[in-house]
Amino acid sequence: MRNKEEIRELLDYFQTTENKNITLNEKAIFAAYEKNDDHQSLAVKILSIFGGILASLAFLGFLLIAGLYDSTAGLLISGTIGITAGIFINKAYDKIIIDTISVSSYIIGFALLTFGLAKLELNDNVISLICILIAALSLVIVQSYIIVFISVLIINGGILALIVGNHSFGMIHLYTSFQAILVTAVFLKEARIISWNPAFSKLYNPVRIALIFSFLAGLSCMGNDYIEVSRDYLWISSVIIIFSIMYTLSRVFEVLNISQTTQKTGIYIVTAALLLPTILSPAISGAILIILLSFLVNYKTSLAIGIIAFIYFVSRYYYDLHFTLLTKSILLFSSGILFLGLYLLTRKKLTSNEKV
C-alpha cells in the first residue's frame, strides 16, 4: 500500500463485502502506516545504496593509502568495528539519510575484514563461509531494507565465490536451478510468507529484489567467458526454469479467468514448444521467468529489471560463437512469438473484462 487513499479503499471494500458489521480502528491503522518508513521510493533506497558504496570505496582508498593494509590486526579490528557500527546505527536510527552512513560502515567493515582474513592466509573457502555467516546473522539482528538487501547479496555472492573458487563450475547449474525455484516461491507465496511472522513482512521486499539480482548473477556466470561452465549440463537449469514458467502460467490462468482445460492445454503445449530452444540458453528463459512473475504480481521494478536482462541476454546470445546462426534465429523467433502470444492473450482478456 503506497498511500492513504489505497488504505481507505481497502477498508471501504471490507466494509461493503462483509455480510456483518465490522469495526476497524482507522486511526490506529493510519498511525501504523505513518510509523512505517518502508514506503519510501525504491529510487531513494537505490541512491542510498550506491551513495554508501561510493563513500565506502573512497574511504577504503584513504585507509589503504594511510597504510592500514599493512596491519593485519588493524584490518580485522577495523572491519569488526565497521560491521558492528553499521548494524547498530541502522538499528538505532530509522532515517534514510542515516541509512547511507550505516551502509557505508557495513560495506567498509566487510571489505576490511575480508582483507584482514586474507592477510592471515586463510583458505578462500573459510573467508567466504565467514562472510556468509556474518551476513546471515545480520539478517536476524537488523530488519532494515538496505542492510537486508546487501546481506542477501553477500550470502549469495559468497556461495558463488565458493563455487568459482573451487572450480566446481557444474554447481552453478544447481545454484541457478535453486534460485529459480526460490524466486518463484517468493513471488507466488507472498501472502503466506508475510503473514507467517511479523518479521517476514519487513524482510520480504528487500529479500525479493536481492534474490532477483542473485538469480541474474548465476545466469550471467553461465555465459561468462572467464568461467568454464560445461555446456553439456545447460539443460538442468533450463528444465527447472521452464517448469517454473509453466507453474507461473497456471497462476496467470487464475488471474485471467482461463478455466477451460482445452485452452490451458493448448497454451501449455505452445509455450513448451516455444521455450524448448531456450534449453541452450537458460539465461533467456530465466529473464522470461522474471518478467512473467513481475507481470503477475504487478512488481514494476522487477519487471523493468527483467526486460533489461532479457535484452542483454539475447544480445549476448546473438554474439555467442558456440551456436550457429540458425540456432540463434530459431531461439529469437520463438521468444518473439511467445511474447506476442502473451500480449494478445492478456489484451483479449482485459478487453473482454472491460466490456463486462
Side-chain angles (χ1 to χ4, degrees):
M1 289 178 291
R2 296 295 179 188
N3 50 53
K4 292 184 178 181
E5 287 73 18
E6 293 182 9
I7 299 177
R8 171 66 65 183
E9 291 177 3
L10 187 60
L11 295 179
D12 293 340
Y13 172 78
F14 287 139
Q15 294 283 2
T16 56
T17 55
E18 289 292 329
N19 294 326
K20 57 183 181 180
N21 293 328
I22 58 174
T23 303
L24 299 172
N25 191 340
E26 296 184 6
K27 291 184 178 180
I29 294 174
F30 285 123
Y33 174 78
E34 292 292 343
K35 290 172 97 177
N36 185 10
D37 282 333
D38 286 340
H39 62 275
Q40 291 164 337
S41 68
L42 183 64
V44 174
K45 294 172 181 176
I46 291 175
L47 287 175
S48 178
I49 292 172
F50 279 102
I53 293 174
L54 292 175
S56 302
L57 292 175
F59 190 67
L60 281 173
F62 167 75
L63 292 178
L64 296 180
I65 293 174
L68 181 63
Y69 186 73
D70 297 328
S71 173
T72 303
L75 289 172
L76 294 174
I77 295 173
S78 300
T80 304
I81 293 175
I83 294 173
T84 306
I87 294 174
F88 173 77
I89 293 173
N90 201 284
K91 195 171 180 64
Y93 303 97
D94 196 14
K95 300 292 183 180
I96 193 66
I97 190 65
I98 302 298
D99 284 343
T100 304
I101 300 175
S102 64
V103 169
S104 302
S105 178
Y106 192 68
I107 295 174
I108 290 171
F110 261 102
L112 294 178
L113 183 64
T114 303
F115 287 144
L117 294 174
K119 292 277 285 185
L120 291 176
E121 298 184 354
L122 293 179
N123 187 279
D124 291 341
N125 294 338
V126 175
I127 296 176
S128 298
L129 289 173
I130 291 174
C131 291
I132 291 173
L133 179 60
I134 295 174
L137 290 174
S138 300
L139 287 176
V140 178
I141 299 173
V142 182
Q143 295 177 359
S144 168
Y145 188 106
I146 299 178
I147 295 294
V148 170
F149 172 77
I150 294 175
S151 297
V152 174
L153 291 182
I154 291 174
I155 292 172
N156 287 285
I159 295 173
L160 284 175
L162 288 172
I163 293 173
V164 175
N166 291 283
H167 300 282
S168 303
F169 300 121
M171 295 295 292
I172 291 181
H173 299 297
L174 297 179
Y175 172 87
T176 52
S177 299
F178 176 75
Q179 288 289 339
I181 296 173
L182 187 59
V183 167
T184 303
V186 168
F187 268 80
L188 300 184
K189 303 297 182 182
E190 176 181 355
R192 183 174 298 180
I193 293 173
I194 62 178
S195 61
W196 195 3
N197 190 289
F200 291 170
S201 63
K202 295 182 179 180
L203 296 174
Y204 179 79
N205 286 327
V207 169
R208 178 174 61 173
I209 189 65
L211 287 177
I212 290 294
F213 283 108
S214 301
F215 182 38
L216 291 175
L219 294 174
S220 299
C221 287
M222 288 192 293
N224 197 309
D225 295 333
Y226 300 100
I227 301 177
E228 300 176 359
V229 179
S230 175
R231 297 181 178 272
D232 296 334
Y233 301 101
L234 284 175
W235 61 271
I236 297 176
S237 302
S238 298
V239 168
I240 298 298
I241 293 173
I242 291 174
F243 272 112
S244 299
I245 292 175
M246 293 298 185
Y247 179 72
T248 306
L249 271 180
S250 66
R251 300 294 296 272
V252 174
F253 293 156
E254 297 176 5
V255 175
L256 298 178
N257 296 320
I258 299 176
S259 56
Q260 295 183 9
T261 306
T262 53
Q263 286 184 330
K264 291 182 179 179
T265 304
I267 293 173
Y268 279 134
I269 292 174
V270 172
T271 303
L274 293 175
L275 289 175
L276 194 60
T278 63
I279 288 181
L280 299 174
S281 182
I284 295 179
S285 56
I288 293 174
L289 175 61
I290 294 174
I291 294 172
L292 192 60
L293 288 169
S294 304
F295 166 78
L296 180 60
V297 302
N298 195 26
Y299 187 24
K300 296 179 181 179
T301 301
S302 179
L303 180 62
I305 294 172
I307 293 173
I308 294 172
F310 178 77
I311 295 173
Y312 168 72
F313 288 136
V314 167
S315 62
R316 195 176 70 178
Y317 176 81
Y318 185 78
Y319 290 102
D320 193 332
L321 299 179
H322 292 88
F323 304 107
T324 64
L325 282 175
L326 177 62
T327 304
K328 298 174 183 177
S329 300
I330 293 174
L331 178 57
L332 297 176
F333 179 75
S334 302
S335 301
I337 293 178
L338 175 62
F339 280 103
L340 288 174
L342 287 173
Y343 169 77
L344 294 175
L345 176 65
T346 54
R347 185 67 179 174
K348 181 179 179 181
K349 283 294 178 180
L350 290 173
T351 304
S352 62
N353 290 337
E354 290 174 358
K355 291 179 180 179
V356 174

